[in-house]
Amino acid sequence: MELRGKLQEILRDIEENYLPSVSLDLVVFGFHESQLKVLLLRFKDSNDWILPGGRVRKDENLDEAAYRSLRERTGLDRLFLQQFHTFGNVNRMTYFSREETLERMGLAEAAAGLWDSTYWANRDISVGYYALVDFTGTVPTPDFMADECRWWDIAEVPHLLFDHNEMIRLALRTLRRQLSYQPVGYNLLPETFTMTELQSLYETILGRSLDRRNFYKQILHYDVLERLGKRPTIPASKAPYLYRFRKERYEQLLNDEDLSVG
């Protein structure tokens, strides 16, 4: 009865306070040790993995709902977050039916009779967002419907439920396209970094090597970096310069959709 009571409470809250048939899915990228990671949730009492996400409250804007969901999953707030696609195919939720999903999670008996409302459609339109976060600063947090929330190497992502593998592929493609006209890295690198470390980030996202001279030219074109002193732990003659992002300029460029590199 305790589990059934909890489900009743959750479903009643969703039905009263959230929009029907509209959901959010978050492709949360993190960068660590030259590897690009993505955050996944493991469904309760199963070996099935999905992207983190949530629903939209009736009294909040879409972006506000996405930031809230991101905060609940990572413990971080107001990071780089961008809408990249809306997923609305008729069969996008048919990997498992609602009943099959509950059965796999061991919740079928507890949920019996709780899904009869016309609020609960078998099809959701999902708005996809991708986020860039500091891997070391996150606290991955599962919700009531999940047993685990952790980082996966982008090359080792398992077969996910629903259309979530396609979401990751499209989010990564969008992120790669972004590199051609906007800077990336503010939320993926430590506060200070070398140009080599920044280039390594770009190469990891793109999945290919970059010419050092052309990369430096493109980055300096943005006028978004502040050069600091040399790294103190290395002899001065060999030490690389450290850089940090100029936050105001960085945010200005993110808002300038017409920026392009010649």
Side-chain angles (χ1 to χ4, degrees):
M1 291 298 294
E2 181 180 350
L3 180 57
R4 183 175 175 84
K6 181 66 174 177
L7 279 173
Q8 284 179 321
E9 180 182 337
I10 290 174
L11 298 181
R12 188 180 303 113
D13 177 56
I14 292 175
E15 185 167 1
E16 291 177 356
N17 299 305
Y18 291 79
L19 296 177
S21 301
V22 179
S23 62
L24 300 168
D25 285 293
L26 305 176
V27 183
V28 185
F29 292 117
F31 183 69
H32 182 63
E33 295 180 350
S34 297
Q35 291 182 325
L36 190 64
K37 308 281 188 177
V38 64
L39 197 65
L40 298 178
L41 286 168
R42 181 168 59 82
F43 248 163
K44 191 175 183 65
D45 296 326
S46 80
N47 292 316
D48 295 314
W49 293 83
I50 59 172
L51 288 169
R55 307 192 78 85
V56 184
R57 293 184 64 89
K58 294 177 181 178
D59 61 353
E60 69 183 345
N61 295 329
L62 191 60
D63 285 353
E64 291 174 350
Y67 279 114
R68 174 178 52 77
S69 296
L70 178 65
R71 183 174 61 254
E72 291 170 353
R73 294 293 168 270
T74 67
L76 300 175
D77 197 10
R78 293 298 162 184
L79 301 177
F80 178 85
L81 189 61
Q82 182 166 306
Q83 188 178 143
F84 69 94
H85 193 70
T86 299
F87 297 85
N89 286 350
V90 172
N91 63 350
R92 64 172 300 267
M93 301 297 289
T94 56
Y95 187 90
F96 292 119
S97 70
R98 184 178 62 199
E99 290 74 17
E100 288 173 313
T101 300
L102 289 170
E103 185 69 37
R104 292 170 68 87
M105 296 171 65
L107 298 175
E109 183 177 350
L114 299 181
W115 301 82
D116 298 334
S117 168
T118 55
Y119 173 92
W120 295 100
N122 285 317
R123 177 188 178 191
D124 268 353
I125 304 299
S126 182
V127 182
Y129 283 81
Y130 71 88
L132 306 177
V133 306
D134 178 2
F135 177 89
T136 60
T138 61
V139 183
T141 305
D143 59 15
F144 173 72
M145 303 296 283
D147 279 333
E148 187 178 1
C149 182
R150 69 176 172 91
W151 293 100
W152 283 73
D153 188 289
I154 196 71
E156 298 175 358
V157 171
H159 184 71
L160 306 178
L161 293 183
F162 316 123
D163 52 359
H164 289 190
N165 289 92
E166 176 60 24
M167 287 184 179
I168 293 176
R169 284 191 289 269
L170 187 54
L172 184 57
R173 188 187 313 159
T174 304
L175 175 58
R176 287 171 172 169
R177 188 182 304 120
Q178 181 196 343
L179 294 183
S180 68
Y181 64 90
Q182 288 179 323
V184 165
Y186 184 79
N187 294 310
L188 294 173
L189 291 170
E191 182 179 357
T192 62
F193 50 86
T194 66
M195 193 69 79
T196 299
E197 290 168 338
L198 181 59
Q199 181 173 338
S200 175
L201 167 63
Y202 272 60
E203 290 177 337
T204 299
I205 293 174
L206 291 170
R208 60 182 174 85
S209 298
L210 297 173
D211 178 80
R212 180 176 178 272
R213 182 176 299 179
N214 289 340
F215 175 77
Y216 279 30
K217 180 180 178 181
Q218 174 174 323
I219 292 299
L220 294 177
H221 171 87
Y222 292 137
D223 191 29
V224 74
L225 297 180
E226 176 185 356
R227 193 173 81 171
L228 308 172
K230 293 190 174 184
R231 178 161 282 172
T233 56
I234 301 176
S237 60
K238 299 181 179 180
Y241 281 101
L242 291 171
Y243 293 83
R244 67 183 173 200
F245 284 105
R246 296 166 50 204
K247 189 172 185 295
E248 290 185 3
R249 172 63 175 164
Y250 185 93
E251 292 177 347
Q252 175 190 344
L253 294 184
L254 292 182
N255 293 323
D256 186 355
E257 296 182 355
D258 296 325
L259 178 67
S260 60
V261 178

